[in-house]
mmCIF file of all heavy atoms in Angstrom:
data_model
loop_
_atom_site.group_PDB
_atom_site.id
_atom_site.type_symbol
_atom_site.label_atom_id
_atom_site.label_comp_id
_atom_site.label_asym_id
_atom_site.label_seq_id
_atom_site.Cartn_x
_atom_site.Cartn_y
_atom_site.Cartn_z
ATOM 1 N N ARG A 157 -9.612 9.329 3.481
ATOM 2 C CA ARG A 157 -10.628 8.261 3.620
ATOM 3 C C ARG A 157 -10.220 6.928 3.029
ATOM 4 O O ARG A 157 -9.482 6.868 2.035
ATOM 5 C CB ARG A 157 -12.031 8.672 3.012
ATOM 6 C CG ARG A 157 -12.836 9.675 3.706
ATOM 7 C CD ARG A 157 -14.143 9.876 3.117
ATOM 8 N NE ARG A 157 -14.043 10.378 1.778
ATOM 9 C CZ ARG A 157 -13.990 11.536 1.346
ATOM 10 N NH1 ARG A 157 -13.998 12.499 2.178
ATOM 11 N NH2 ARG A 157 -13.881 11.943 0.070
ATOM 12 N N PRO A 158 -10.637 5.710 3.556
ATOM 13 C CA PRO A 158 -10.407 4.485 2.933
ATOM 14 C C PRO A 158 -11.110 4.569 1.496
ATOM 15 O O PRO A 158 -12.154 5.260 1.229
ATOM 16 C CB PRO A 158 -11.147 3.416 3.825
ATOM 17 C CG PRO A 158 -11.280 4.102 5.072
ATOM 18 C CD PRO A 158 -11.312 5.647 4.803
ATOM 19 N N PHE A 159 -10.540 3.708 0.638
ATOM 20 C CA PHE A 159 -11.128 3.776 -0.853
ATOM 21 C C PHE A 159 -11.084 2.335 -1.377
ATOM 22 O O PHE A 159 -10.285 1.515 -1.053
ATOM 23 C CB PHE A 159 -10.323 4.695 -1.663
ATOM 24 C CG PHE A 159 -8.915 4.314 -1.865
ATOM 25 C CD1 PHE A 159 -8.555 3.513 -2.959
ATOM 26 C CD2 PHE A 159 -7.885 4.803 -0.947
ATOM 27 C CE1 PHE A 159 -7.148 3.197 -3.135
ATOM 28 C CE2 PHE A 159 -6.619 4.379 -1.293
ATOM 29 C CZ PHE A 159 -6.215 3.579 -2.331
ATOM 30 N N ILE A 160 -12.007 2.185 -2.323
ATOM 31 C CA ILE A 160 -12.133 0.916 -3.150
ATOM 32 C C ILE A 160 -11.756 1.252 -4.564
ATOM 33 O O ILE A 160 -12.389 2.327 -5.060
ATOM 34 C CB ILE A 160 -13.405 0.314 -2.976
ATOM 35 C CG1 ILE A 160 -13.630 -0.193 -1.608
ATOM 36 C CG2 ILE A 160 -13.510 -0.844 -3.991
ATOM 37 C CD1 ILE A 160 -15.134 -0.553 -1.294
ATOM 38 N N LEU A 161 -10.913 0.537 -5.216
ATOM 39 C CA LEU A 161 -10.747 0.637 -6.695
ATOM 40 C C LEU A 161 -11.591 -0.294 -7.414
ATOM 41 O O LEU A 161 -11.829 -1.445 -7.028
ATOM 42 C CB LEU A 161 -9.295 0.419 -7.021
ATOM 43 C CG LEU A 161 -8.257 1.348 -6.501
ATOM 44 C CD1 LEU A 161 -6.821 0.727 -6.817
ATOM 45 C CD2 LEU A 161 -8.376 2.698 -6.919
ATOM 46 N N VAL A 162 -12.373 0.192 -8.562
ATOM 47 C CA VAL A 162 -13.313 -0.600 -9.204
ATOM 48 C C VAL A 162 -13.093 -0.443 -10.814
ATOM 49 O O VAL A 162 -12.923 0.819 -11.178
ATOM 50 C CB VAL A 162 -14.797 -0.326 -8.892
ATOM 51 C CG1 VAL A 162 -15.723 -1.106 -9.679
ATOM 52 C CG2 VAL A 162 -15.001 -0.459 -7.438
ATOM 53 N N SER A 163 -13.068 -1.529 -11.501
ATOM 54 C CA SER A 163 -12.765 -1.321 -12.975
ATOM 55 C C SER A 163 -13.271 -2.583 -13.595
ATOM 56 O O SER A 163 -13.611 -3.493 -13.032
ATOM 57 C CB SER A 163 -11.273 -1.256 -13.213
ATOM 58 O OG SER A 163 -10.560 -2.309 -12.559
ATOM 59 N N HIS A 164 -13.370 -2.417 -15.078
ATOM 60 C CA HIS A 164 -13.889 -3.536 -15.792
ATOM 61 C C HIS A 164 -13.086 -3.580 -17.163
ATOM 62 O O HIS A 164 -12.923 -2.471 -17.725
ATOM 63 C CB HIS A 164 -15.261 -3.603 -16.086
ATOM 64 C CG HIS A 164 -15.865 -4.706 -16.714
ATOM 65 N ND1 HIS A 164 -16.542 -4.674 -17.957
ATOM 66 C CD2 HIS A 164 -15.873 -6.047 -16.290
ATOM 67 C CE1 HIS A 164 -16.908 -5.843 -18.363
ATOM 68 N NE2 HIS A 164 -16.604 -6.763 -17.357
ATOM 69 N N SER A 165 -12.712 -4.713 -17.648
ATOM 70 C CA SER A 165 -12.252 -4.900 -18.991
ATOM 71 C C SER A 165 -11.057 -3.968 -19.286
ATOM 72 O O SER A 165 -10.090 -4.119 -18.618
ATOM 73 C CB SER A 165 -13.462 -4.691 -20.127
ATOM 74 O OG SER A 165 -13.045 -5.336 -21.235
ATOM 75 N N GLN A 166 -11.049 -3.123 -20.299
ATOM 76 C CA GLN A 166 -9.971 -2.262 -20.586
ATOM 77 C C GLN A 166 -9.603 -1.415 -19.466
ATOM 78 O O GLN A 166 -8.388 -1.199 -19.151
ATOM 79 C CB GLN A 166 -10.288 -1.354 -21.788
ATOM 80 C CG GLN A 166 -9.173 -0.441 -22.209
ATOM 81 C CD GLN A 166 -9.373 0.452 -23.472
ATOM 82 O OE1 GLN A 166 -8.594 1.355 -23.750
ATOM 83 N NE2 GLN A 166 -10.490 0.218 -24.181
ATOM 84 N N GLY A 167 -10.572 -1.014 -18.670
ATOM 85 C CA GLY A 167 -10.421 -0.249 -17.440
ATOM 86 C C GLY A 167 -9.573 -0.989 -16.447
ATOM 87 O O GLY A 167 -8.670 -0.518 -15.699
ATOM 88 N N SER A 168 -9.840 -2.327 -16.317
ATOM 89 C CA SER A 168 -9.076 -3.170 -15.445
ATOM 90 C C SER A 168 -7.685 -3.421 -15.861
ATOM 91 O O SER A 168 -6.717 -3.548 -15.069
ATOM 92 C CB SER A 168 -9.665 -4.543 -15.304
ATOM 93 O OG SER A 168 -10.910 -4.457 -14.541
ATOM 94 N N GLY A 169 -7.363 -3.382 -17.216
ATOM 95 C CA GLY A 169 -5.989 -3.471 -17.726
ATOM 96 C C GLY A 169 -5.225 -2.257 -17.263
ATOM 97 O O GLY A 169 -4.088 -2.482 -16.756
ATOM 98 N N ILE A 170 -5.944 -1.183 -17.289
ATOM 99 C CA ILE A 170 -5.191 0.115 -16.713
ATOM 100 C C ILE A 170 -5.142 -0.013 -15.245
ATOM 101 O O ILE A 170 -4.099 0.408 -14.642
ATOM 102 C CB ILE A 170 -5.928 1.301 -17.156
ATOM 103 C CG1 ILE A 170 -5.782 1.515 -18.699
ATOM 104 C CG2 ILE A 170 -5.406 2.590 -16.488
ATOM 105 C CD1 ILE A 170 -6.463 2.721 -19.231
ATOM 106 N N MET A 171 -6.113 -0.534 -14.645
ATOM 107 C CA MET A 171 -6.125 -0.584 -13.084
ATOM 108 C C MET A 171 -4.894 -1.382 -12.576
ATOM 109 O O MET A 171 -4.311 -1.189 -11.513
ATOM 110 C CB MET A 171 -7.396 -1.076 -12.525
ATOM 111 C CG MET A 171 -7.564 -0.940 -11.055
ATOM 112 S SD MET A 171 -7.540 0.817 -10.624
ATOM 113 C CE MET A 171 -9.294 1.210 -10.833
ATOM 114 N N LEU A 172 -4.546 -2.465 -13.371
ATOM 115 C CA LEU A 172 -3.411 -3.275 -12.900
ATOM 116 C C LEU A 172 -2.131 -2.563 -12.956
ATOM 117 O O LEU A 172 -1.231 -2.790 -12.194
ATOM 118 C CB LEU A 172 -3.221 -4.561 -13.901
ATOM 119 C CG LEU A 172 -4.430 -5.597 -13.709
ATOM 120 C CD1 LEU A 172 -4.164 -6.831 -14.661
ATOM 121 C CD2 LEU A 172 -4.423 -6.155 -12.185
ATOM 122 N N ILE A 173 -1.931 -1.589 -13.869
ATOM 123 C CA ILE A 173 -0.904 -0.639 -13.822
ATOM 124 C C ILE A 173 -0.883 0.212 -12.637
ATOM 125 O O ILE A 173 0.105 0.429 -11.921
ATOM 126 C CB ILE A 173 -0.870 0.147 -15.142
ATOM 127 C CG1 ILE A 173 -0.675 -0.705 -16.381
ATOM 128 C CG2 ILE A 173 0.412 1.108 -15.147
ATOM 129 C CD1 ILE A 173 -0.865 0.112 -17.733
ATOM 130 N N VAL A 174 -2.064 0.746 -12.253
ATOM 131 C CA VAL A 174 -2.223 1.600 -11.086
ATOM 132 C C VAL A 174 -1.774 0.801 -9.932
ATOM 133 O O VAL A 174 -1.018 1.299 -9.092
ATOM 134 C CB VAL A 174 -3.672 1.991 -11.025
ATOM 135 C CG1 VAL A 174 -3.978 2.585 -9.535
ATOM 136 C CG2 VAL A 174 -3.995 2.996 -12.002
ATOM 137 N N LEU A 175 -2.166 -0.437 -9.736
ATOM 138 C CA LEU A 175 -1.857 -1.226 -8.607
ATOM 139 C C LEU A 175 -0.346 -1.592 -8.456
ATOM 140 O O LEU A 175 0.268 -1.493 -7.495
ATOM 141 C CB LEU A 175 -2.693 -2.503 -8.622
ATOM 142 C CG LEU A 175 -4.196 -2.382 -8.296
ATOM 143 C CD1 LEU A 175 -4.989 -3.520 -8.683
ATOM 144 C CD2 LEU A 175 -4.272 -2.066 -6.679
ATOM 145 N N SER A 176 0.203 -1.938 -9.656
ATOM 146 C CA SER A 176 1.670 -2.379 -9.652
ATOM 147 C C SER A 176 2.574 -1.192 -9.626
ATOM 148 O O SER A 176 3.700 -1.367 -9.065
ATOM 149 C CB SER A 176 1.914 -3.248 -10.863
ATOM 150 O OG SER A 176 1.774 -2.555 -12.031
ATOM 151 N N ASP A 177 2.153 -0.023 -10.151
ATOM 152 C CA ASP A 177 3.144 1.082 -10.203
ATOM 153 C C ASP A 177 2.687 2.248 -9.307
ATOM 154 O O ASP A 177 3.403 2.569 -8.391
ATOM 155 C CB ASP A 177 3.176 1.463 -11.731
ATOM 156 C CG ASP A 177 4.220 2.692 -11.851
ATOM 157 O OD1 ASP A 177 5.397 2.498 -11.349
ATOM 158 O OD2 ASP A 177 3.802 3.685 -12.476
#
Side-chain angles (χ1 to χ4, degrees):
R157 285 187 298 273
F159 65 92
I160 295 172
L161 300 175
V162 178
S163 58
H164 187 243
S165 199
Q166 181 175 174
S168 287
I170 292 177
M171 191 64 82
L172 289 180
I173 301 174
V174 168
L175 286 161
S176 62
D177 180 48

